[in-house]
Amino acid sequence: MSKTCNFLGLRLRSNPLPPSFSNSSALNLLPTAASRPFDHWIRASSRRRLVLGGFVGTSLWMNNMSGNLGGKSFIASARQTNPSPVEQALSKVEWPENFPFKEEDFQRFDESSDSTFYEAPRFVTHIDDPAIAALTKYYSKVLPESETPGVSILDMCSSWVSHYPAGYKQERIVGMGMNEEELKRNPVLTEYIVQDLNVNPKLPFEDNSFQVITNVVSVDYLTKPLIVFKEMNRILKPGGLALMSFSNRCFFTKAISIWTSTGDADHALIVGSYFHYAGGYEPPQAVDISPNPGRSDPMYVVYSRKLPVA
């Protein structure tokens, strides 16, 4: 099992937490996935509470992941012949009637201002080169062809690089992020907006504005995800595609509790739950595009499309 969350801060801070640190995953306390329904709950491990100095724990579920993926994904997966646990995570999910997470699941070790945390530009990449190449290759297959008339794309939680294919252009590519200097440096953007989605999760765009929304290794920082995903649905055109990609790297102190206490397959379930409970989306699916499992950063995508207008 991969580490629940590596530390991006290792590249940015002089005194980081030890790189070998890995939260004792609550998955280790559970029976096999096939023996438990989705809505079986446990609290986070005592080790996490110790590490975070009494910080409130998090809820975790495991769904029944027995059986194969139902149906062939319209977006090709690198592992169609041997689905990874992440790819199976959203197969035949028995969703609870109500959103299963609690307010404390979206708390973070560092609740100080995100605007202050991101005030200094970081002109670094947050996943390694093989993972970046895998994501760019994936985008080349699923994004609208470059310079398609009328296409608008929103790169949410953007920075100085979006990982789109080289030379990729559209009439409108909007970057929404936390640092203006980073956004100014992003060559793919036609415009940008600086906004803290954890303070103001409302998206400043008209209904049915975008064909695609992308989000790279940042979904784990959202503290009001249901509002954000409802807003995403509102601004997507009918049939529009939302792509949430993530790895196992993060700014640990700024990632939400439910994320830092769980593993990769659970992360797919967490993101999938945002789509499901926000409403208005097709059933979410997950793909594993990790280029070198166990040898470089993993890379996963959970995606869905806005339901067509009836």
Side-chain angles (χ1 to χ4, degrees), residues 133-168:
L135 181 59
T136 299
K137 182 179 179 180
Y138 179 80
Y139 278 155
S140 72
K141 296 178 180 179
V142 303
L143 293 180
E145 290 188 9
S146 185
E147 300 187 83
T148 300
V151 165
S152 295
I153 296 176
L154 172 63
D155 188 28
M156 182 183 293
C157 303
S158 187
S159 64
W160 69 285
V161 60
S162 295
H163 306 308
Y164 296 169
Y168 189 79

Coordinates of all heavy atoms in Angstrom, one line a residue, residues 133-168:
A133 N 4.3 13.5 -17.0 CA 4.2 13.0 -18.3 C 2.9 12.2 -18.5 O 2.3 12.3 -19.6 CB 5.4 12.3 -18.7
A134 N 2.6 11.4 -17.5 CA 1.4 10.5 -17.6 C 0.2 11.3 -17.7 O -0.8 11.0 -18.4 CB 1.4 9.5 -16.4
L135 N 0.1 12.4 -16.8 CA -1.1 13.2 -16.8 C -1.2 14.0 -18.1 O -2.3 14.1 -18.7 CB -1.0 14.2 -15.7 CG -2.2 15.2 -15.5 CD1 -3.5 14.4 -15.3 CD2 -2.0 16.1 -14.3
T136 N -0.1 14.5 -18.6 CA -0.1 15.2 -19.9 C -0.6 14.3 -21.1 O -1.4 14.7 -21.9 CB 1.2 15.8 -20.2 OG1 1.6 16.8 -19.2 CG2 1.2 16.5 -21.6
K137 N -0.1 13.1 -21.1 CA -0.5 12.1 -22.1 C -2.0 11.8 -22.0 O -2.7 11.7 -23.0 CB 0.3 10.8 -21.9 CG -0.1 9.7 -22.9 CD 0.8 8.5 -22.7 CE 0.5 7.4 -23.7 NZ 1.3 6.2 -23.5
Y138 N -2.5 11.7 -20.7 CA -3.9 11.5 -20.5 C -4.7 12.6 -21.0 O -5.8 12.5 -21.7 CB -4.1 11.3 -19.0 CG -5.6 11.0 -18.6 CD1 -6.2 9.8 -18.8 CD2 -6.3 12.1 -18.1 CE1 -7.5 9.6 -18.4 CE2 -7.7 11.9 -17.7 CZ -8.2 10.6 -17.9 OH -9.5 10.4 -17.5
Y139 N -4.3 13.9 -20.7 CA -5.0 15.0 -21.2 C -5.1 15.1 -22.7 O -6.0 15.5 -23.3 CB -4.3 16.3 -20.7 CG -4.7 16.8 -19.3 CD1 -3.8 17.5 -18.5 CD2 -5.9 16.4 -18.7 CE1 -4.1 18.0 -17.3 CE2 -6.2 16.9 -17.4 CZ -5.3 17.6 -16.7 OH -5.6 18.1 -15.4
S140 N -4.0 14.6 -23.3 CA -3.9 14.6 -24.8 C -5.0 13.8 -25.4 O -5.4 14.0 -26.6 CB -2.6 14.2 -25.3 OG -2.3 12.8 -25.1
K141 N -5.5 12.8 -24.7 CA -6.5 11.9 -25.1 C -7.9 12.3 -24.8 O -8.9 12.0 -25.6 CB -6.3 10.5 -24.5 CG -5.0 9.8 -24.9 CD -4.8 8.5 -24.2 CE -3.5 7.8 -24.6 NZ -3.4 6.5 -23.9
V142 N -8.1 13.1 -23.7 CA -9.5 13.4 -23.3 C -9.9 14.8 -23.4 O -11.1 15.1 -23.5 CB -9.7 12.9 -21.8 CG1 -9.3 11.4 -21.7 CG2 -8.8 13.7 -20.9
L143 N -8.9 15.7 -23.5 CA -9.3 17.1 -23.7 C -9.8 17.4 -25.1 O -9.3 16.7 -26.1 CB -8.2 18.1 -23.4 CG -7.7 18.1 -21.9 CD1 -6.5 19.1 -21.8 CD2 -8.9 18.5 -21.0
P144 N -10.6 18.4 -25.4 CA -10.9 18.7 -26.8 C -9.7 19.1 -27.5 O -8.7 19.6 -27.0 CB -11.8 20.0 -26.6 CG -12.4 19.9 -25.2 CD -11.3 19.2 -24.4
E145 N -9.7 18.8 -28.8 CA -8.5 19.1 -29.6 C -8.1 20.6 -29.5 O -9.0 21.4 -29.4 CB -8.7 18.7 -31.1 CG -8.8 17.2 -31.3 CD -8.9 16.9 -32.8 OE1 -8.7 17.8 -33.6 OE2 -9.1 15.7 -33.1
S146 N -6.8 20.8 -29.6 CA -6.4 22.2 -29.5 C -7.0 23.1 -30.5 O -7.2 22.7 -31.7 CB -4.8 22.2 -29.7 OG -4.3 23.5 -29.5
E147 N -7.4 24.3 -30.1 CA -8.0 25.3 -31.0 C -9.3 24.9 -31.6 O -9.6 25.2 -32.8 CB -7.0 25.7 -32.1 CG -5.7 26.3 -31.5 CD -4.8 26.9 -32.5 OE1 -5.0 28.1 -32.9 OE2 -3.8 26.2 -32.9
T148 N -10.1 24.2 -30.8 CA -11.5 23.8 -31.2 C -12.3 25.0 -31.0 O -12.4 25.6 -29.9 CB -12.0 22.6 -30.4 OG1 -11.2 21.5 -30.6 CG2 -13.4 22.3 -30.8
P149 N -13.0 25.5 -32.0 CA -13.8 26.7 -31.9 C -14.8 26.6 -30.8 O -15.5 25.6 -30.6 CB -14.5 26.9 -33.2 CG -13.6 26.2 -34.2 CD -13.0 25.0 -33.4
G150 N -14.9 27.7 -29.9 CA -15.9 27.8 -28.9 C -15.6 27.1 -27.6 O -16.5 27.1 -26.7
V151 N -14.5 26.4 -27.5 CA -14.2 25.6 -26.3 C -13.7 26.5 -25.2 O -12.9 27.4 -25.4 CB -13.2 24.5 -26.6 CG1 -12.6 23.9 -25.3 CG2 -13.9 23.4 -27.4
S152 N -14.3 26.3 -24.0 CA -13.8 27.0 -22.8 C -13.5 26.0 -21.7 O -14.2 25.0 -21.5 CB -14.9 27.9 -22.2 OG -15.2 29.0 -23.1
I153 N -12.3 26.2 -21.1 CA -11.8 25.3 -20.0 C -11.5 26.0 -18.8 O -11.0 27.1 -18.9 CB -10.6 24.5 -20.5 CG1 -10.9 23.6 -21.7 CG2 -10.0 23.7 -19.4 CD1 -9.7 22.9 -22.3
L154 N -11.9 25.5 -17.6 CA -11.5 26.1 -16.3 C -10.5 25.2 -15.7 O -10.7 24.0 -15.5 CB -12.7 26.2 -15.4 CG -12.4 26.6 -14.0 CD1 -11.8 28.0 -13.9 CD2 -13.7 26.6 -13.1
D155 N -9.3 25.7 -15.4 CA -8.3 25.0 -14.6 C -8.4 25.5 -13.2 O -7.8 26.5 -12.8 CB -6.9 25.2 -15.2 CG -5.8 24.3 -14.6 OD1 -6.2 23.2 -14.1 OD2 -4.7 24.7 -14.5
M156 N -9.0 24.7 -12.4 CA -9.3 25.1 -11.0 C -8.1 24.7 -10.1 O -7.5 23.7 -10.3 CB -10.6 24.3 -10.5 CG -11.0 24.6 -9.1 SD -12.4 23.6 -8.6 CE -13.7 24.3 -9.7
C157 N -7.8 25.6 -9.1 CA -6.7 25.4 -8.3 C -5.4 25.4 -9.1 O -4.5 24.6 -8.9 CB -6.8 24.2 -7.4 SG -8.3 24.1 -6.4
S158 N -5.3 26.3 -10.1 CA -4.3 26.4 -11.0 C -3.0 27.1 -10.4 O -3.1 27.7 -9.4 CB -4.7 27.1 -12.3 OG -3.8 27.0 -13.3
S159 N -1.9 27.0 -11.2 CA -0.7 27.7 -10.8 C 0.1 28.1 -12.0 O -0.5 28.5 -13.0 CB 0.1 26.7 -9.9 OG 0.6 25.6 -10.6
W160 N 1.4 28.0 -12.0 CA 2.2 28.4 -13.1 C 2.3 27.4 -14.2 O 2.8 27.7 -15.3 CB 3.6 28.8 -12.6 CG 4.4 27.6 -12.2 CD1 4.3 26.9 -11.0 CD2 5.5 27.0 -12.9 NE1 5.2 25.9 -10.9 CE2 6.0 26.0 -12.1 CE3 6.1 27.3 -14.1 CZ2 7.0 25.1 -12.5 CZ3 7.2 26.5 -14.5 CH2 7.6 25.4 -13.7
V161 N 1.7 26.2 -14.0 CA 1.7 25.2 -15.0 C 0.4 24.4 -14.9 O 0.0 24.1 -13.8 CB 3.0 24.3 -14.9 CG1 3.0 23.6 -13.6 CG2 3.0 23.2 -16.1
S162 N -0.2 24.0 -16.0 CA -1.4 23.2 -16.0 C -1.2 21.8 -16.4 O -2.2 21.0 -16.4 CB -2.5 23.9 -16.8 OG -2.8 25.2 -16.3
H163 N -0.1 21.4 -17.0 CA 0.2 20.1 -17.4 C -0.6 19.7 -18.7 O -0.7 18.5 -19.0 CB 0.1 19.1 -16.3 CG 0.8 19.4 -15.1 ND1 2.2 19.6 -15.1 CD2 0.4 19.5 -13.8 CE1 2.6 19.9 -13.9 NE2 1.6 19.8 -13.1
Y164 N -1.1 20.7 -19.4 CA -1.8 20.4 -20.7 C -0.7 20.0 -21.7 O 0.5 20.4 -21.5 CB -2.6 21.5 -21.1 CG -3.8 21.9 -20.3 CD1 -4.5 23.1 -20.4 CD2 -4.2 21.1 -19.2 CE1 -5.6 23.4 -19.7 CE2 -5.3 21.4 -18.4 CZ -6.0 22.6 -18.6 OH -7.0 22.9 -17.8
P165 N -1.1 19.4 -22.8 CA -0.1 19.1 -23.9 C 0.6 20.4 -24.4 O 0.1 21.5 -24.4 CB -0.9 18.5 -25.0 CG -2.1 17.9 -24.3 CD -2.4 18.9 -23.2
A166 N 1.9 20.2 -24.8 CA 2.7 21.3 -25.3 C 2.0 22.0 -26.4 O 1.5 21.4 -27.3 CB 4.0 20.8 -25.7
G167 N 1.9 23.4 -26.3 CA 1.3 24.1 -27.4 C -0.2 24.1 -27.4 O -0.9 24.7 -28.3
Y168 N -0.8 23.5 -26.3 CA -2.3 23.4 -26.3 C -2.9 24.8 -26.2 O -2.5 25.6 -25.3 CB -2.7 22.6 -25.1 CG -4.2 22.2 -25.1 CD1 -4.7 21.2 -25.9 CD2 -5.1 22.9 -24.3 CE1 -6.0 20.9 -25.9 CE2 -6.4 22.6 -24.3 CZ -6.9 21.6 -25.1 OH -8.2 21.2 -25.1

